Amino acid sequence: MENDFILSMRNISKEFPGVKALTNVDFTLRKGEICALMGENGAGKSTLIKVLTGVYHRDSGQINIEGINRPITIKSPHEAQNMGISTVYQEITLCPNITVAENMFIGRGNYNFVNWRVMEKKAKELLDSLGIPAKPKQQLSNCSLAVQQMVAIARAVDMECKVLILDEPTSSLDEQEVAKLFSLMRDLKARGVGIIFVTHFLEQVYKICDTITVLRSGELVGNYTTKDLPPVELIAKMMGKALNDLSELHKKDSKESGLPFYAAAGLASAAGVKPYDIKVYKGEVNGFAGLLGSGRSESVRAIFGADKVTGGKVSINGKSVSITKPINAMKQGIGYLSEDRKIDGIIGDLSVRDNIILALQVMKGFFRPIPKSEAEAFADEYIKLLGIKTASTNTPIGSLSGGNQQKVILARWLLTHPEYLILDEPTRGIDVGTKVDIQKLVLKLAEEGMSITFISSEIEEMVRTCSRLIVMRDRNVVGGLAGKQITQDNIMHTIAGTEGAYNE
């Protein structure tokens, strides 16, 4: 019944020039309910949240919230907060250089006349009541990412929060940190807070959420009870078709014969990677497996020369080479999609076209600029090839969804025609459909003869795509798997150093 809802959004529509972002979308949330807001990138999730929080003004529809006996108009995020709607984003928006208590109360009152003792006392009471392992006087930067997320949530809750929006809060957290966050979410649920949980991790949806609302192409697909919607059906509803794509993925067998394209012996770096050996053959997908912090990313950064190499011998097609910086690697036919697309990948203010041609322009040299007509042709070609959703080649890449940003960076490296492509977390934070597209592309490129190193925190992706794995722990190589040995159980046993690996 309508009266049960803490939040009700009815017939919400929002249009941008040339794009209908939302069309007559309904969304409801009850007191003490955790609802997963699901959909592929571009489905309308972010737009709906921005309408709810006053970042965007809706074109039509109405919003009702408990305690206000009329439809409301939210003109700004500050107004949304005053009405009890708070958001905690994936990128933490607190100030790392001040204390936990200051972050919890900043912007509330006159900073010149703060009663520090009272503020710290209130902060401690709130932290203790929510079970957050932080001290009021502790500088925020000394807290883990998970605790920083919890402090942001505590700040939101203390502002008489009725509706809490968590936008991809677990993307940078490890398993133990996620468990702590879920414990806090359950506590808030018991207190009657309604939680909207946006995530790309399906397993997390089924661990923590009561209901699931699915959007597709700016329209409501439906609202479901989590226990009544199996994961395969959820994916099908998000994609708008039966999920046959994963069954179409066929990885190639291991290719440990002939001359490797890239080989390194005793490769080590200033980032703490212990000396390791690697051979990468033409037409294969290999990978680095391990927990976060195990040294996966540091290992491939050493291959690409992005970190200072402190030891090792490298050869390309059997010929000794020196790769001490990225331009050396690029000139040897190596491309590298980095782990953090926002920091090391995209240049947000530049256009899609300029982001696509960037690596090729670096290789040519900036005194030999690529003509605009040629750059436009390159961009058009790869937008079509990779199915990049953008209004034009001139669109700033920062305005694209995460999945489309990732495809632009892939296009950047494919334009250089690399013989060896390193992909570090290419599917992190993007929707299921785009993940499948990227996995298919990886296997297709290998089929065409490209050498690929693939890294993912999702073990299932590694199993589906890689024919050989290097397994790491504490920045050391602790094992290797190939062919039928590559199973989830074997990977986890090898990481842990326990019995049970290598069963075929």
Side-chain angles (χ1 to χ4, degrees):
M1 293 186 50
E2 195 83 16
N3 291 340
D4 295 336
F5 298 132
I6 193 171
L7 170 70
S8 172
M9 304 177 75
R10 298 294 182 193
N11 299 313
I12 303 296
S13 294
K14 178 65 183 176
E15 188 169 345
F16 299 101
V19 180
K20 282 190 173 182
L22 296 172
T23 305
N24 297 323
V25 171
D26 292 346
F27 179 83
T28 55
L29 184 70
R30 290 179 171 83
K31 230 177 183 183
E33 176 181 66
I34 302 178
C35 177
L37 182 59
M38 303 295 289
E40 297 189 80
N41 286 324
K45 305 186 301 292
S46 294
T47 304
L48 186 67
I49 286 171
K50 287 175 179 177
V51 166
L52 175 58
T53 56
V55 177
Y56 294 154
H57 296 274
R58 63 188 183 274
D59 296 332
S60 61
Q62 69 178 46
I63 302 173
N64 290 82
I65 192 163
E66 183 191 56
I68 303 176
N69 297 320
R70 55 178 171 76
I72 60 173
T73 298
I74 305 172
K75 297 178 182 177
S76 68
H78 181 69
E79 232 178 73
Q81 279 196 340
N82 289 339
M83 293 180 182
I85 302 168
S86 294
T87 307
V88 177
Y89 293 100
Q90 176 180 352
E91 285 85 17
I92 296 166
T93 54
L94 301 181
C95 302
N97 60 329
I98 61 177
T99 68
V100 168
E102 287 173 296
N103 269 288
M104 291 170 66
F105 292 97
I106 192 170
R108 296 156 68 181
N110 189 330
Y111 197 77
N112 292 318
F113 299 97
V114 174
N115 187 323
W116 296 96
R117 184 176 296 175
V118 171
M119 182 183 73
E120 287 164 4
K121 181 174 181 290
K122 286 183 177 178
K124 185 176 188 308
E125 287 171 356
L126 185 58
L127 292 168
D128 289 346
S129 72
L130 295 174
I132 299 173
K135 296 178 180 178
K137 293 183 179 181
Q138 185 176 0
Q139 187 164 304
L140 188 72
S141 60
N142 293 330
C143 301
S144 69
L145 276 175
V147 171
Q148 291 184 39
Q149 287 279 18
M150 291 178 187
V151 170
I153 292 171
R155 173 181 166 82
V157 170
D158 190 49
M159 298 176 78
E160 298 184 355
C161 174
K162 297 177 182 178
V163 175
L164 177 63
I165 303 164
L166 299 178
D167 189 1
E168 295 285 356
T170 64
S171 60
S172 300
L173 307 185
D174 63 28
E175 199 171 324
Q176 290 75 24
E177 290 172 329
V178 169
K180 290 177 186 175
L181 179 62
F182 282 3
S183 176
L184 177 56
M185 288 170 67
R186 292 186 184 101
D187 187 358
L188 295 174
K189 171 184 170 178
R191 296 168 186 235
V193 177
I195 300 175
I196 301 172
F197 183 47
V198 181
T199 183
H200 287 104
F201 296 104
L202 295 185
E203 68 276 10
Q204 294 181 4
V205 170
Y206 286 88
K207 280 182 181 177
I208 194 69
C209 295
D210 305 299
T211 58
I212 301 170
T213 294
V214 181
L215 301 182
R216 185 174 67 245
S217 301
E219 297 183 0
L220 175 69
V221 176
N223 181 264
Y224 310 91
T225 302
T226 306
K227 62 183 177 60
D228 295 332
L229 185 67
V232 171
E233 288 186 27
L234 169 58
I235 294 169
K237 291 181 185 300
M238 289 166 60
M239 296 179 68
K241 57 186 177 182
L243 190 68
N244 298 319
D245 288 345
L246 292 181
S247 62
E248 296 171 10
L249 291 171
H250 299 291
K251 67 182 180 184
K252 300 184 75 175
D253 293 333
S254 175
K255 283 196 161 195
E256 295 182 80
S257 60
L259 189 68
F261 169 75
Y262 174 93
L267 190 62
S269 80
V273 175
K274 307 299 191 297
Y276 74 97
D277 300 345
I278 181 174
K279 292 180 180 178
V280 182
Y281 294 86
K282 279 189 174 294
E284 77 160 356
V285 183
N286 64 32
F288 285 82
L291 301 176
L292 288 173
S294 62
R296 301 171 308 180
S297 297
E298 291 80 4
S299 296
V300 294
R301 286 177 64 84
I303 292 173
F304 192 66
D307 288 336
K308 183 180 178 182
V309 174
T310 56
K313 295 181 179 179
V314 174
S315 63
I316 302 284
N317 286 324
K319 181 181 176 182
S320 180
V321 298
S322 174
I323 298 177
T324 58
K325 50 191 175 183
I327 191 64
N328 301 148
M330 292 164 69
K331 288 182 176 178
Q332 293 295 339
I334 303 174
Y336 168 57
L337 189 150
S338 61
E339 179 182 20
D340 193 326
R341 65 172 172 263
K342 290 189 181 294
I343 294 176
D344 298 325
I346 68 168
I347 300 178
D349 293 334
L350 290 185
S351 67
V352 169
R353 178 188 61 245
D354 290 342
N355 271 277
I356 286 176
I357 66 167
L358 185 60
L360 184 62
Q361 184 64 76
V362 169
M363 292 176 71
K364 283 178 173 288
F366 286 100
F367 294 108
R368 296 173 57 202
I370 298 169
K372 187 173 180 180
S373 59
E374 194 176 330
E376 193 74 22
F378 286 145
D380 284 336
E381 178 186 355
Y382 282 93
I383 286 170
K384 184 177 179 182
L385 177 69
L386 298 181
I388 299 169
K389 293 179 182 177
T390 178
S392 76
T393 60
N394 285 317
T395 302
I397 191 174
S399 67
L400 269 57
S401 67
N404 285 301
Q405 290 178 4
Q406 201 73 309
K407 286 183 176 182
V408 169
I409 304 171
L410 268 173
R412 174 191 299 167
W413 290 110
L414 293 178
L415 182 57
T416 68
H417 302 289
E419 293 185 74
Y420 175 25
L421 183 59
I422 301 167
L423 302 173
D424 191 356
E425 296 283 9
T427 65
R428 174 184 285 172
I430 62 177
D431 61 78
V432 174
T434 308
K435 284 186 180 188
V436 173
D437 289 344
I438 289 176
Q439 290 169 32
K440 282 183 172 181
L441 177 63
V442 165
L443 296 176
K444 180 175 179 287
L445 293 171
E447 187 74 33
E448 293 170 353
M450 188 181 292
S451 305
I452 296 174
T453 291
F454 186 90
I455 297 175
S456 173
S457 296
E458 297 184 34
I459 294 179
E460 299 91 338
E461 280 196 303
M462 303 294 283
V463 172
R464 282 197 294 268
T465 54
C466 297
S467 55
R468 283 193 304 123
L469 284 181
I470 291 173
V471 184
M472 302 198 71
R473 183 176 66 245
D474 300 330
R475 307 204 175 183
N476 270 309
V477 172
V478 294
L481 301 169
K484 292 180 180 178
Q485 295 174 341
I486 300 178
T487 66
Q488 290 191 52
D489 282 349
N490 286 347
I491 292 171
M492 289 188 287
H493 278 299
T494 308
I495 292 171
T498 57
E499 296 296 324
Y502 314 120
N503 295 321
E504 295 191 13

